[in-house]
Amino acid sequence: VQLQASGGGLVQAGGSLRLSCAASGRTFSSSVMAWFRQAPGKEHEFVTAIRWGVGSTYYADSVKGRFTISRDKSENTVYLQMNSLKPEDTAVYYCAEGHHYGRSWNEYHRWGQGTQVTVSS
């Protein structure tokens, strides 16, 4: 399975963006799909995750209430709807696939190439 992230861009504070992560190949019902982000000079930060099979979702406190993760099984795609964006959301966003839910970058075994999100103040 390969992951292809897209949808990043430049947006003003308060604006919205929707990221997509298309998974080529088979995605297992037990998989967990996640979004991480990395700002310049910082470590990878967990943003959100979804259990592919049952759809349970998890969010970092910093994005709860503003971001929504979803998946379309027919399209083998995971989405990240980002609303009320803040300058501190600026980062490269990566999608990732794992066998188990976790909040550490190293707990996932496959990652997309990243898409830049820049929020201007």
Side-chain angles (χ1 to χ4, degrees):
V1 175
Q2 291 186 330
L3 304 178
Q4 182 75 32
S6 61
L10 173 64
V11 64
Q12 288 188 331
S16 299
L17 279 175
R18 189 176 81 154
L19 306 184
S20 300
C21 176
S24 62
R26 182 181 176 184
T27 301
F28 295 94
S29 61
S30 59
S31 293
V32 175
M33 303 298 294
W35 288 95
F36 286 81
R37 65 187 181 186
Q38 186 176 32
K42 295 190 176 182
E43 298 289 324
H44 290 97
E45 176 191 13
F46 172 82
V47 177
T48 180
I50 186 167
R51 294 189 184 274
W52 185 261
V54 298
S56 304
T57 58
Y58 310 87
Y59 295 94
D61 287 343
S62 58
V63 306
K64 200 172 293 183
R66 299 189 298 123
F67 291 10
T68 302
I69 189 171
S70 61
R71 87 272 194 246
D72 185 329
K73 289 184 175 181
S74 65
E75 296 292 330
N76 241 21
T77 300
V78 176
Y79 299 100
L80 179 60
Q81 178 66 44
M82 305 185 294
N83 298 329
S84 302
L85 282 161
K86 305 175 182 179
E88 51 264 44
D89 294 318
T90 295
V92 178
Y93 283 70
Y94 298 88
C95 58
E97 180 188 11
H99 296 305
H100 308 286
Y101 165 64
R103 298 195 172 211
S104 174
W105 175 260
N106 293 328
E107 294 182 87
Y108 292 78
H109 62 268
R110 188 170 288 112
W111 306 270
Q113 85 286 7
T115 184
Q116 176 71 48
V117 172
T118 303
V119 184
S120 62
S121 57

